Coordinates of all heavy atoms in Angstrom, one line a residue:
M4 N 13.9 -41.6 11.5 CA 14.5 -40.6 12.5 C 16.0 -40.4 12.1 O 16.7 -41.3 11.6 CB 14.5 -41.2 13.9 CG 14.4 -40.0 14.9 SD 14.0 -40.7 16.5 CE 15.4 -40.0 17.4
E5 N 16.4 -39.2 12.2 CA 17.8 -38.8 11.8 C 18.8 -39.4 12.8 O 18.6 -39.3 14.0 CB 17.9 -37.3 11.8 CG 19.1 -36.8 10.8 CD 19.1 -35.3 10.7 OE1 18.0 -34.7 10.4 OE2 20.1 -34.7 10.9
E6 N 19.9 -39.9 12.3 CA 21.0 -40.5 13.2 C 21.8 -39.3 13.8 O 22.2 -38.5 13.1 CB 21.9 -41.4 12.4 CG 21.1 -42.6 11.8 CD 21.4 -43.9 12.4 OE1 22.4 -44.0 13.1 OE2 20.7 -44.9 12.1
K7 N 22.0 -39.4 15.1 CA 22.8 -38.4 15.8 C 24.1 -39.1 16.3 O 24.0 -40.1 16.9 CB 22.0 -37.8 17.0 CG 20.8 -37.0 16.6 CD 21.1 -35.5 16.6 CE 20.0 -34.7 15.9 NZ 18.8 -34.7 16.6
M8 N 25.2 -38.4 16.1 CA 26.4 -38.9 16.7 C 27.2 -37.8 17.2 O 27.1 -36.6 16.8 CB 27.3 -39.7 15.7 CG 27.8 -38.9 14.5 SD 28.7 -40.1 13.4 CE 30.3 -39.3 13.3
A9 N 28.0 -38.1 18.2 CA 28.8 -37.0 18.9 C 29.8 -36.4 18.0 O 30.5 -37.1 17.2 CB 29.5 -37.6 20.1
L10 N 29.9 -35.1 18.0 CA 30.9 -34.4 17.1 C 31.7 -33.5 18.0 O 31.2 -33.0 19.0 CB 30.1 -33.6 16.1 CG 29.4 -34.4 15.0 CD1 28.5 -33.4 14.2 CD2 30.4 -35.1 14.1
P11 N 33.0 -33.3 17.6 CA 33.8 -32.4 18.4 C 33.3 -31.0 18.3 O 32.8 -30.6 17.3 CB 35.2 -32.6 17.7 CG 35.0 -33.3 16.5 CD 33.7 -34.0 16.5
K12 N 33.4 -30.3 19.4 CA 32.9 -28.9 19.5 C 33.6 -28.0 18.6 O 33.0 -27.1 17.9 CB 33.0 -28.4 20.9 CG 32.1 -27.2 21.2 CD 31.9 -27.0 22.7 CE 30.9 -25.9 23.0 NZ 30.7 -25.8 24.4
R13 N 35.0 -28.1 18.5 CA 35.8 -27.3 17.7 C 36.9 -28.1 17.1 O 37.4 -29.1 17.8 CB 36.2 -26.0 18.4 CG 37.1 -26.3 19.6 CD 37.3 -25.0 20.4 NE 36.4 -24.9 21.5 CZ 35.5 -23.9 21.7 NH1 35.4 -23.0 20.8 NH2 34.7 -23.9 22.7
R14 N 37.4 -27.7 16.0 CA 38.6 -28.4 15.4 C 39.8 -28.1 16.2 O 39.9 -27.0 16.8 CB 38.8 -28.0 13.9 CG 39.2 -26.5 13.7 CD 39.4 -26.2 12.3 NE 40.9 -25.9 12.0 CZ 41.6 -26.3 11.0 NH1 41.0 -27.1 10.1 NH2 42.8 -26.0 10.9
H15 N 40.8 -29.0 16.3 CA 42.0 -28.6 17.0 C 43.1 -28.2 16.0 O 43.0 -28.5 14.8 CB 42.4 -29.7 18.0 CG 42.7 -31.1 17.5 ND1 42.4 -32.2 18.2 CD2 43.1 -31.5 16.3 CE1 42.8 -33.2 17.5 NE2 43.2 -32.8 16.3
S16 N 44.1 -27.6 16.5 CA 45.2 -27.0 15.7 C 46.1 -28.0 15.1 O 46.1 -29.2 15.5 CB 46.0 -26.1 16.6 OG 46.7 -26.9 17.6
H17 N 46.8 -27.6 14.0 CA 47.8 -28.4 13.4 C 48.8 -28.9 14.4 O 49.3 -30.0 14.4 CB 48.5 -27.6 12.3 CG 47.7 -27.3 11.1 ND1 47.0 -28.3 10.4 CD2 47.3 -26.1 10.6 CE1 46.3 -27.7 9.4 NE2 46.5 -26.4 9.5
S18 N 49.2 -28.0 15.3 CA 50.2 -28.3 16.4 C 49.7 -29.4 17.2 O 50.5 -30.3 17.6 CB 50.4 -27.0 17.2 OG 51.2 -27.4 18.3
R19 N 48.4 -29.5 17.6 CA 47.9 -30.5 18.4 C 47.9 -31.9 17.7 O 48.3 -32.9 18.3 CB 46.5 -30.2 18.9 CG 46.1 -31.0 20.1 CD 44.7 -30.6 20.6 NE 44.1 -31.7 21.2 CZ 43.1 -31.7 22.1 NH1 42.7 -30.5 22.5 NH2 42.7 -32.8 22.6
T20 N 47.5 -31.8 16.4 CA 47.6 -33.0 15.6 C 49.0 -33.6 15.5 O 49.3 -34.8 15.7 CB 47.1 -32.7 14.2 OG1 45.8 -32.2 14.2 CG2 47.1 -34.0 13.3
R21 N 50.0 -32.6 15.3 CA 51.4 -33.1 15.1 C 52.0 -33.5 16.4 O 52.8 -34.5 16.4 CB 52.2 -31.9 14.5 CG 51.9 -31.6 13.1 CD 52.4 -30.3 12.6 NE 51.9 -30.0 11.3 CZ 51.8 -28.7 10.8 NH1 52.3 -27.7 11.5 NH2 51.3 -28.5 9.6
T22 N 51.5 -32.9 17.5 CA 52.0 -33.4 18.8 C 51.5 -34.8 19.1 O 52.3 -35.7 19.6 CB 51.5 -32.4 19.9 OG1 52.0 -31.1 19.7 CG2 51.9 -32.9 21.3
R23 N 50.3 -35.1 18.8 CA 49.8 -36.5 18.9 C 50.6 -37.5 18.1 O 50.9 -38.5 18.5 CB 48.3 -36.5 18.5 CG 47.7 -37.9 18.8 CD 46.2 -38.0 18.3 NE 46.1 -37.9 16.9 CZ 45.4 -37.0 16.2 NH1 44.9 -35.9 16.9 NH2 45.3 -37.0 14.9
R24 N 50.9 -37.1 16.8 CA 51.5 -37.9 15.9 C 53.0 -38.1 16.1 O 53.7 -38.9 15.5 CB 51.3 -37.4 14.4 CG 49.9 -37.7 14.0 CD 49.6 -37.2 12.6 NE 48.2 -37.3 12.3 CZ 47.6 -36.8 11.2 NH1 48.3 -36.2 10.3 NH2 46.3 -37.0 11.0
A25 N 53.5 -37.3 17.1 CA 55.0 -37.4 17.5 C 55.3 -38.8 17.9 O 56.5 -39.2 17.8 CB 55.3 -36.4 18.5
H26 N 54.3 -39.6 18.4 CA 54.6 -40.9 18.9 C 54.2 -42.0 17.9 O 54.2 -43.2 18.3 CB 53.8 -41.1 20.2 CG 54.2 -40.1 21.3 ND1 55.3 -40.3 22.1 CD2 53.6 -39.0 21.7 CE1 55.4 -39.2 22.9 NE2 54.4 -38.4 22.7
D27 N 53.9 -41.7 16.7 CA 53.4 -42.6 15.7 C 54.4 -43.2 14.8 O 54.1 -44.0 14.0 CB 52.3 -42.0 14.8 CG 51.0 -41.7 15.6 OD1 50.9 -42.1 16.8 OD2 50.1 -41.1 15.0
A28 N 55.7 -42.9 15.0 CA 56.7 -43.3 14.1 C 56.9 -44.8 14.2 O 56.8 -45.4 15.3 CB 58.0 -42.6 14.4
L29 N 57.1 -45.5 13.1 CA 57.4 -46.9 13.1 C 58.9 -47.2 13.4 O 59.8 -46.4 12.9 CB 57.1 -47.5 11.7 CG 55.6 -47.5 11.3 CD1 55.5 -48.0 9.8 CD2 54.8 -48.3 12.2
V30 N 59.2 -48.2 14.1 CA 60.6 -48.5 14.5 C 60.9 -49.9 13.9 O 60.1 -50.9 14.1 CB 60.7 -48.5 16.0 CG1 62.2 -48.9 16.4 CG2 60.3 -47.2 16.6
A31 N 62.0 -50.0 13.3 CA 62.4 -51.3 12.7 C 62.7 -52.3 13.9 O 63.3 -51.9 14.9 CB 63.7 -51.1 11.9
P32 N 62.3 -53.6 13.8 CA 62.5 -54.5 14.8 C 64.0 -54.9 15.0 O 64.8 -54.9 14.0 CB 61.8 -55.8 14.4 CG 61.6 -55.6 12.9 CD 61.6 -54.2 12.6
T33 N 64.4 -55.1 16.2 CA 65.8 -55.5 16.5 C 66.0 -57.0 15.9 O 65.2 -57.8 16.2 CB 66.1 -55.5 18.0 OG1 65.7 -54.2 18.5 CG2 67.6 -55.8 18.3
V34 N 67.0 -57.2 15.2 CA 67.3 -58.5 14.6 C 68.6 -59.0 15.1 O 69.6 -58.3 15.0 CB 67.2 -58.5 13.0 CG1 67.5 -59.9 12.5 CG2 65.9 -58.0 12.6
S35 N 68.7 -60.2 15.6 CA 69.9 -60.8 16.0 C 70.2 -62.0 15.0 O 69.3 -62.4 14.2 CB 69.9 -61.3 17.4 OG 69.0 -62.3 17.6
T36 N 71.3 -62.6 15.2 CA 71.7 -63.7 14.3 C 71.7 -65.0 15.0 O 72.1 -65.1 16.2 CB 73.1 -63.5 13.7 OG1 73.2 -62.1 13.2 CG2 73.4 -64.4 12.5
C37 N 71.1 -66.1 14.4 CA 71.1 -67.4 15.0 C 72.5 -67.9 15.2 O 73.3 -67.9 14.3 CB 70.3 -68.3 14.2 SG 70.2 -70.0 14.8
S38 N 72.8 -68.4 16.4 CA 74.1 -68.9 16.7 C 74.3 -70.3 16.1 O 75.4 -70.8 15.9 CB 74.4 -69.0 18.2 OG 73.4 -69.7 18.8
D39 N 73.2 -71.0 15.7 CA 73.2 -72.3 15.1 C 73.4 -72.3 13.6 O 74.3 -73.0 13.1 CB 72.0 -73.1 15.5 CG 72.2 -74.2 16.4 OD1 73.0 -74.0 17.4 OD2 71.6 -75.3 16.2
C40 N 72.6 -71.5 12.9 CA 72.6 -71.6 11.5 C 72.9 -70.2 10.8 O 73.1 -70.1 9.6 CB 71.3 -72.1 10.9 SG 69.9 -71.0 11.2
G41 N 73.0 -69.2 11.6 CA 73.4 -67.9 11.1 C 72.3 -67.1 10.5 O 72.5 -66.0 10.0
E42 N 71.0 -67.6 10.5 CA 69.9 -66.9 9.9 C 69.5 -65.7 10.8 O 69.7 -65.8 12.1 CB 68.7 -67.8 9.9 CG 68.7 -68.9 8.8 CD 68.2 -68.3 7.4 OE1 67.1 -67.8 7.4 OE2 69.0 -68.4 6.5
P43 N 69.0 -64.6 10.3 CA 68.5 -63.5 11.1 C 67.3 -64.0 11.9 O 66.4 -64.7 11.4 CB 68.2 -62.4 10.1 CG 68.0 -63.1 8.8 CD 68.9 -64.3 8.8
K44 N 67.2 -63.6 13.2 CA 66.1 -64.0 14.0 C 65.8 -62.9 15.0 O 66.6 -62.1 15.3 CB 66.4 -65.3 14.7 CG 67.4 -65.3 15.8 CD 67.7 -66.6 16.4 CE 67.3 -66.8 17.9 NZ 67.1 -65.7 18.7
L45 N 64.6 -63.0 15.6 CA 64.2 -62.0 16.7 C 64.8 -62.5 18.0 O 64.8 -63.7 18.3 CB 62.7 -61.9 16.8 CG 62.0 -61.3 15.6 CD1 60.5 -61.4 15.8 CD2 62.3 -59.9 15.4
P46 N 65.3 -61.6 18.8 CA 65.9 -62.0 20.1 C 64.8 -62.6 21.0 O 63.6 -62.2 21.0 CB 66.5 -60.7 20.7 CG 65.9 -59.6 19.9 CD 65.5 -60.2 18.6
H47 N 65.1 -63.6 21.8 CA 64.2 -64.3 22.8 C 63.1 -65.1 22.0 O 62.1 -65.4 22.6 CB 63.6 -63.3 23.8 CG 64.7 -62.5 24.5 ND1 64.8 -61.1 24.3 CD2 65.7 -62.8 25.3 CE1 65.8 -60.6 25.0 NE2 66.3 -61.7 25.6
R48 N 63.4 -65.4 20.8 CA 62.4 -66.2 20.0 C 63.2 -67.4 19.4 O 64.4 -67.2 19.2 CB 61.7 -65.5 18.9 CG 61.1 -64.2 19.2 CD 59.8 -64.4 20.0 NE 59.0 -63.2 20.0 CZ 59.3 -62.1 20.7 NH1 60.3 -62.1 21.5 NH2 58.5 -61.1 20.7
L49 N 62.6 -68.5 19.2 CA 63.3 -69.6 18.6 C 63.6 -69.3 17.1 O 62.8 -68.5 16.5 CB 62.7 -70.9 18.8 CG 61.4 -71.3 18.1 CD1 61.7 -72.2 16.8 CD2 60.5 -72.1 19.0
C50 N 64.6 -69.8 16.5 CA 65.0 -69.5 15.2 C 64.0 -70.1 14.2 O 63.7 -71.3 14.3 CB 66.4 -70.0 14.9 SG 66.9 -69.8 13.2
S51 N 63.5 -69.3 13.2 CA 62.6 -69.9 12.2 C 63.3 -70.6 11.1 O 62.7 -71.4 10.4 CB 61.8 -68.7 11.6 OG 62.6 -67.8 11.0
G52 N 64.6 -70.5 11.1 CA 65.4 -71.2 10.1 C 65.7 -72.6 10.5 O 65.7 -73.5 9.6
C53 N 66.1 -72.9 11.7 CA 66.5 -74.2 12.1 C 65.7 -74.7 13.4 O 65.9 -75.9 13.8 CB 68.0 -74.3 12.4 SG 68.5 -73.3 13.8
G54 N 64.8 -73.9 14.0 CA 64.0 -74.3 15.1 C 64.8 -74.5 16.4 O 64.3 -75.2 17.3
S55 N 65.9 -73.9 16.5 CA 66.7 -74.0 17.8 C 66.5 -72.8 18.7 O 66.2 -71.7 18.2 CB 68.2 -74.2 17.4 OG 68.7 -73.0 17.0
Y56 N 66.7 -73.0 20.0 CA 66.7 -71.9 20.9 C 67.8 -72.2 22.0 O 67.9 -73.3 22.5 CB 65.3 -71.8 21.6 CG 65.2 -70.5 22.5 CD1 65.1 -69.3 21.9 CD2 65.3 -70.7 23.8 CE1 65.1 -68.1 22.7 CE2 65.2 -69.5 24.6 CZ 65.1 -68.3 24.1 OH 65.0 -67.2 24.9
K57 N 68.6 -71.2 22.2 CA 69.7 -71.3 23.2 C 70.6 -72.5 22.9 O 71.0 -73.3 23.8 CB 69.2 -71.3 24.6 CG 68.8 -69.9 25.1 CD 68.8 -69.8 26.6 CE 68.6 -68.4 27.0 NZ 68.7 -68.3 28.5
G58 N 70.9 -72.7 21.6 CA 71.9 -73.7 21.2 C 71.4 -75.1 21.1 O 72.1 -76.0 20.8
R59 N 70.1 -75.4 21.5 CA 69.6 -76.7 21.4 C 68.3 -76.7 20.5 O 67.6 -75.7 20.4 CB 69.3 -77.4 22.7 CG 68.2 -76.7 23.5 CD 68.2 -77.1 25.0 NE 67.1 -76.4 25.7 CZ 65.9 -76.8 25.7 NH1 65.5 -78.0 25.2 NH2 65.0 -76.2 26.4
S60 N 68.1 -77.9 19.8 CA 66.9 -77.9 18.9 C 65.6 -78.1 19.7 O 65.5 -79.0 20.5 CB 67.1 -79.1 18.0 OG 66.1 -79.2 17.0
V61 N 64.7 -77.2 19.5 CA 63.4 -77.2 20.3 C 62.3 -77.8 19.4 O 61.5 -78.6 19.9 CB 63.1 -75.8 20.8 CG1 61.8 -75.7 21.5 CG2 64.2 -75.2 21.7
V62 N 62.3 -77.3 18.2 CA 61.2 -77.7 17.3 C 61.8 -78.4 16.1 O 62.8 -77.9 15.5 CB 60.4 -76.5 16.8 CG1 59.3 -76.9 15.8 CG2 59.7 -75.8 17.9
K63 N 61.3 -79.7 15.8 CA 61.8 -80.4 14.6 C 61.1 -79.9 13.4 O 59.8 -80.0 13.3 CB 61.5 -81.9 14.8 CG 62.2 -82.8 13.8 CD 63.6 -83.3 14.2 CE 64.1 -84.3 13.3 NZ 64.7 -83.8 12.1
L64 N 61.8 -79.3 12.5 CA 61.2 -78.7 11.3 C 61.1 -79.8 10.2 O 62.0 -80.6 10.1 CB 62.0 -77.5 10.8 CG 62.0 -76.3 11.7 CD1 62.8 -75.2 11.0 CD2 60.6 -75.8 11.9
Q65 N 60.1 -79.7 9.4 CA 60.0 -80.7 8.3 C 60.9 -80.2 7.1 O 61.3 -79.1 7.1 CB 58.5 -80.7 7.8 CG 57.5 -81.4 8.8 CD 56.1 -81.2 8.4 OE1 55.8 -80.5 7.4 NE2 55.2 -81.7 9.2
E66 N 61.2 -81.2 6.2 CA 62.1 -81.0 5.2 C 61.7 -79.8 4.3 O 62.6 -79.0 3.9 CB 62.3 -82.2 4.3 CG 63.2 -83.3 4.9 CD 64.6 -82.9 5.1 OE1 65.2 -82.3 4.1 OE2 65.2 -83.1 6.2
D67 N 60.4 -79.7 4.0 CA 60.0 -78.6 3.0 C 60.0 -77.2 3.7 O 59.9 -76.2 3.0 CB 58.6 -78.9 2.5 CG 57.6 -79.1 3.6 OD1 57.9 -79.9 4.5 OD2 56.5 -78.6 3.5
E68 N 60.1 -77.2 5.1 CA 60.2 -75.9 5.7 C 61.7 -75.4 5.8 O 61.9 -74.2 5.9 CB 59.7 -76.0 7.2 CG 58.2 -76.1 7.3 CD 57.7 -76.3 8.7 OE1 58.2 -77.2 9.4 OE2 56.8 -75.6 9.1
L69 N 62.6 -76.3 5.7 CA 64.0 -75.9 5.6 C 64.4 -75.3 4.3 O 64.0 -75.9 3.2 CB 64.9 -77.1 6.0 CG 64.8 -77.7 7.4 CD1 65.5 -79.0 7.5 CD2 65.4 -76.7 8.4
D70 N 65.2 -74.3 4.2 CA 65.6 -73.7 2.9 C 67.1 -73.6 2.8 O 67.8 -74.2 3.6 CB 65.0 -72.4 2.7 CG 65.0 -71.4 3.8 OD1 65.9 -71.7 4.7 OD2 64.3 -70.4 3.9
Ligands
ZN127 ZN1 68.9 -71.1 13.3

């Protein structure tokens, strides 16, 4: 038996496609600097460079993780 799938009744305009894509732009993430080690980090996240958050050490990193 032949497979049936729903198809759009008519194509939509370039304008409609472009209007939809108006919200598709990529935005660069906001980057702040760690107050402990100065590495770039995401705000409200612990630092991946030294494992600290709000000035205190939260996660003890292993030696091979530190660079
Ligand atoms: Zn840090």
Side-chain angles (χ1 to χ4, degrees):
M4 211 170 123
E5 204 174 310
E6 302 248 349
K7 292 264 167 68
M8 65 183 236
L10 291 170
K12 196 165 189 176
R13 59 188 99 244
R14 65 179 248 137
H15 59 209
S16 63
H17 293 300
S18 173
R19 196 175 153 160
T20 301
R21 288 167 192 158
T22 300
R23 184 182 71 240
R24 290 178 185 172
H26 302 279
D27 289 355
L29 295 174
V30 179
T33 308
V34 179
S35 63
T36 313
C37 177
S38 55
D39 247 43
C40 68
E42 285 278 306
K44 68 181 249 339
L45 294 173
H47 308 112
R48 307 286 196 286
L49 71 98
C50 176
S51 61
C53 65
S55 73
Y56 187 73
K57 285 202 167 181
R59 64 195 180 88
S60 185
V61 177
V62 177
K63 188 93 172 80
L64 295 180
Q65 292 169 358
E66 282 295 315
D67 57 312
E68 284 177 311
L69 294 168
D70 45 19

